[in-house]
Amino acid sequence: MLVRHLTILTGASRGLGRALAEALLQPDALLLTIERHPDPALQARAAASGAHLEQWSQDLAETLEAAERLQHWLQTLAPSALCSATLINNAAVLPRVGPLQNLSPVELSRALRVGLEAPMQLTAAFLRVTDAWVREHDWDGPRRVLHISSGLGRYPMAGQAAYCAVKAGLDHHARCTALDEARRPRGARIVSLAPGVIDTDMQLQMRTSDPAGFPDQGRFLQLHASGQLASPQAAAQRVLAWLHRSDFGEQVIADVREAN
């Protein structure tokens, strides 16, 4: 029986998430992607590579539904068929750029639920089930949780209150969870990783935002004009290189640009 590496990835339909999904489609992979719109082309790539891919159409703003669905699915798996288990919380929503009061309650709620509440709920479900594998089946595969964070979680910026708060929340969630897991036998490792500046739709949204509500717009225009944006594919390789480091988890708050 082929023993596979399990990875759960949110937000795999475009940008960094899509590039991560493509890179993860290896012959020994069991990849579950969670996004609004599954992609038949990705399914074809998985079939060609020998990877086992499952794609869920799931609105991550429905956080309880998503977490319960993940927990139930994980409970159907046989730990003996897996040699590792990884959760990558990549999905996020960048609401309209500008002062917080310009956002509708619906926009603000969706950004917070998809970007912060969903990762916390999914992480809890992931740890709950995989901890049972360790206790009840003596499973000793590595367990990893990777939050895709941002420099904006560590540095404040006008016009970005919701997004900055979400990413800062992910960072602090990782810090606290790392402390909890360090107290458990064979606890999971967790990292909140900033992936650098990437040429994605989010960058385009910031470059085209109204400078009246976003005084740092020029900075993002300059990053693009000077060719400092990494491609999603290059960023994905750097993220996965960090994920597979032997010391993963020792530095809980990290940035790919700090790799040595």
Side-chain angles (χ1 to χ4, degrees), residues 82-122:
L82 304 171
C83 52
S84 68
T86 301
L87 170 63
I88 304 176
N89 288 305
N90 167 69
V93 171
L94 180 67
R96 281 183 298 156
V97 177
L100 188 66
Q101 60 267 33
N102 290 1
L103 298 180
S104 72
V106 171
E107 287 178 291
L108 179 57
S109 176
R110 181 167 185 81
L112 296 175
R113 295 181 78 178
V114 172
L116 181 57
E117 184 180 342
M120 291 181 68
Q121 291 280 12
L122 294 175

Side-chain angles (χ1 to χ4, degrees), residues 5 7-27 29-35 37-39 41-47 49 51-55 88 90 148 232-233 235-237 239-240 243:
H5 293 277
T7 305
I8 301 123
L9 170 67
T10 67
S13 60
R14 59 184 180 174
L16 175 62
R18 175 54 188 257
L20 286 168
E22 292 177 352
L24 287 164
L25 291 177
Q26 302 297 321
L30 169 54
L31 175 62
L32 169 64
T33 63
I34 306 175
E35 61 272 304
H37 304 292
D39 186 350
L42 191 64
Q43 199 72 52
R45 290 179 70 113
S49 70
H52 183 93
L53 171 67
E54 294 203 26
Q55 298 185 83
I88 304 176
N90 167 69
I148 301 300
Q233 292 73 26
Q237 291 301 323
V239 167
L240 292 178
L243 178 67

Side-chain angles (χ1 to χ4, degrees), residues 81 124 133 149 151 154-155 242:
W133 293 352
S149 185
R154 300 154 200 184
Y155 306 99
W242 198 287

